[in-house]
Amino acid sequence: GNGCVASEWFDPVPYSPTARLPFSPPATAYELTMNGYPAVVWPNYIAIGFTAAPDTISGLENKGALWMALRSTPTGGPLHYEGRLNGSTGTLLASGDTDDMTWNEMALRYDPVTQQVSARLNDLTFGPFTARITTPRFVAFEGVGIMDNLIVWQR
């Protein structure tokens, strides 16, 4: 409703739906932002990212070139975040816990010229990290929760 993408959550799910949009990255820096509220059912998550894979099921988790996930913890309390390269088994750039702001602002930035990656989650900033990512064909968001305000910026 009201332009939000929402999924029902009652039980943990074995996969996460992925929505992807075609993307032709500019030669200069670009950034993906979105606000999100992950399901309170652990281990479900919400995520944003860049990918070359056309997968619509757990696409970022399996093959995301650069992605950030946000999930509730098994005991409630703060949210857990991870920023990664190359899916869930790729390089971990940053992880930790943060307060749940309900509409948590997530942002990923990549500069193909300097090969610098940075990220923001609410008031936290991560990076820059030096990383070369596969040229993305899609921007994507995935998971179980509520998400809104997807924007891709040329920076």
Side-chain angles (χ1 to χ4, degrees):
N2 295 328
C4 295
V5 175
S7 57
E8 293 183 2
W9 61 75
F10 301 105
D11 299 303
V13 295
Y15 59 86
S16 295
T18 306
R20 56 185 174 67
L21 300 166
F23 178 60
S24 296
T28 60
Y30 50 89
E31 182 174 279
L32 170 64
T33 64
M34 193 165 198
N35 299 339
Y37 177 68
V40 294
V41 179
W42 188 86
N44 295 335
Y45 65 89
I46 57 170
I48 62 169
F50 300 99
T51 185
D55 303 27
T56 58
I57 300 295
S58 301
L60 293 173
E61 180 180 32
N62 293 330
K63 299 176 186 172
L66 171 62
W67 69 295
M68 177 192 300
L70 186 60
R71 72 182 77 226
S72 61
T73 56
T75 58
L79 299 176
H80 184 73
Y81 63 86
E82 288 186 355
R84 289 189 173 269
L85 301 174
N86 304 315
S88 63
T89 59
T91 303
L92 177 65
L93 299 174
S95 71
D97 295 327
T98 186
D99 291 331
D100 185 354
M101 307 302 278
T102 306
W103 288 110
N104 299 281
E105 183 181 347
M106 304 183 323
L108 292 172
R109 183 178 190 276
Y110 183 65
D111 187 332
V113 175
T114 63
Q115 296 182 352
Q116 296 288 298
V117 169
S118 57
R120 283 189 332 276
L121 174 59
N122 298 323
D123 294 332
L124 303 173
T125 301
F126 313 99
F129 306 99
T130 300
R132 183 177 190 153
I133 70 169
T134 303
T135 301
R137 293 178 39 223
F138 305 98
V139 293
F141 61 92
E142 78 180 26
V144 179
I146 304 171
M147 299 183 81
D148 195 14
N149 301 324
L150 173 75
I151 302 172
V152 180
W153 308 82
Q154 185 173 354
R155 297 285 190 189

